[in-house]
């Protein structure tokens, strides 16, 4: 993995892996901490999975130097997520010097039957230097 899991992703128990096309896939196992109404995934947990997948995918392309800032994020819940492992994969639809447009899908058994998707626009702030570079004498 190029990008490390964020503290949020670690707290949520997300696991990063790759698909056959070498794209980042995040996995989220169901547990009571991610439960909404009985038997179903909480929408916030699902949104966190989608957003984290988008950021990890952008970081893999632009590197860990620039700061990423959300511009907007639109979640679409298509069907109920049940008590099963959930997967998410992002596709960068457009990557410019300052903006990345990312689409993310989440599914449980079949990626052709998504349970949710997100359209996320991210500002890539390249003026921010990594902390290690700020410490040079």
């Amino acid at each position: 993995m190029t990008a490390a899991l964020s503290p949020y992703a670690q707290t949520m128990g997300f696991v990063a892996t790759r698909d056959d096309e070498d794209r980042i896939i995040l996995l989220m196992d169901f547990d009571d901490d991610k439960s909404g109404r009985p038997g179903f995934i909480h929408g916030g947990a699902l949104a966190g999975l989608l957003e984290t997948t988008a950021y990890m995918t952008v970081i893999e392309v632009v590197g860990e130097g620039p700061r990423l800032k959300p511009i907007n994020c639109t979640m679409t819940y298509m069907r109920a997520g049940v008590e099963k492992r959930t997967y998410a994969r992002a596709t960068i639809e457009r990557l410019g010097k300052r903006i990345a447009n990312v689409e993310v899908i989440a599914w449980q058994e079949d990626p052709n039957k998504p349970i949710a998707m997100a359209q996320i626009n991210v500002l890539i702030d390249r003026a921010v230097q990594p902390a290690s570079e700020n410490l040079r004498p």
Side-chain angles (χ1 to χ4, degrees):
M1 252 335 94
T2 299
L5 289 172
S6 68
Y8 172 78
Q10 292 173 26
T11 299
M12 291 296 290
F14 299 163
V15 175
T17 187
R18 293 195 178 267
D19 66 7
D20 295 340
E21 298 175 22
D22 202 36
R23 295 181 295 185
I24 294 172
I25 303 287
L26 282 189
L27 316 174
M28 178 179 71
D29 286 321
F30 183 86
D31 59 43
D32 289 340
D33 291 339
K34 299 175 189 93
S35 179
R37 63 186 169 143
F40 296 93
I41 297 171
H42 191 281
L46 194 51
L49 177 68
L50 292 167
E51 187 175 9
T52 301
T53 304
Y55 280 105
M56 286 185 68
T57 301
V58 172
I59 289 168
E60 182 173 59
V61 173
V62 302
E64 294 194 30
R67 179 180 297 162
L68 303 181
K69 299 178 183 179
I71 296 172
N72 66 10
C73 186
T74 303
M75 302 291 169
T76 304
Y77 299 97
M78 304 163 91
R79 57 178 54 93
V82 295
E83 295 179 342
K84 295 181 181 179
R85 176 175 281 178
T86 304
Y87 305 85
R89 174 184 66 223
T91 302
I92 298 174
E93 298 295 333
R94 183 181 180 284
L95 179 63
K97 291 180 181 180
R98 295 185 40 101
I99 304 289
N101 299 348
V102 186
E103 180 179 86
V104 192
I105 64 164
W107 71 94
Q108 291 190 309
E109 292 180 346
D110 182 354
N112 294 316
K113 295 180 180 178
I115 62 171
M117 68 178 294
Q119 294 287 332
I120 301 173
N121 297 313
V122 179
L123 175 67
I124 304 167
D125 187 355
R126 297 179 191 270
V128 176
Q129 297 298 317
S132 60
E133 289 186 23
N134 290 336
L135 300 177
R136 287 190 206 165

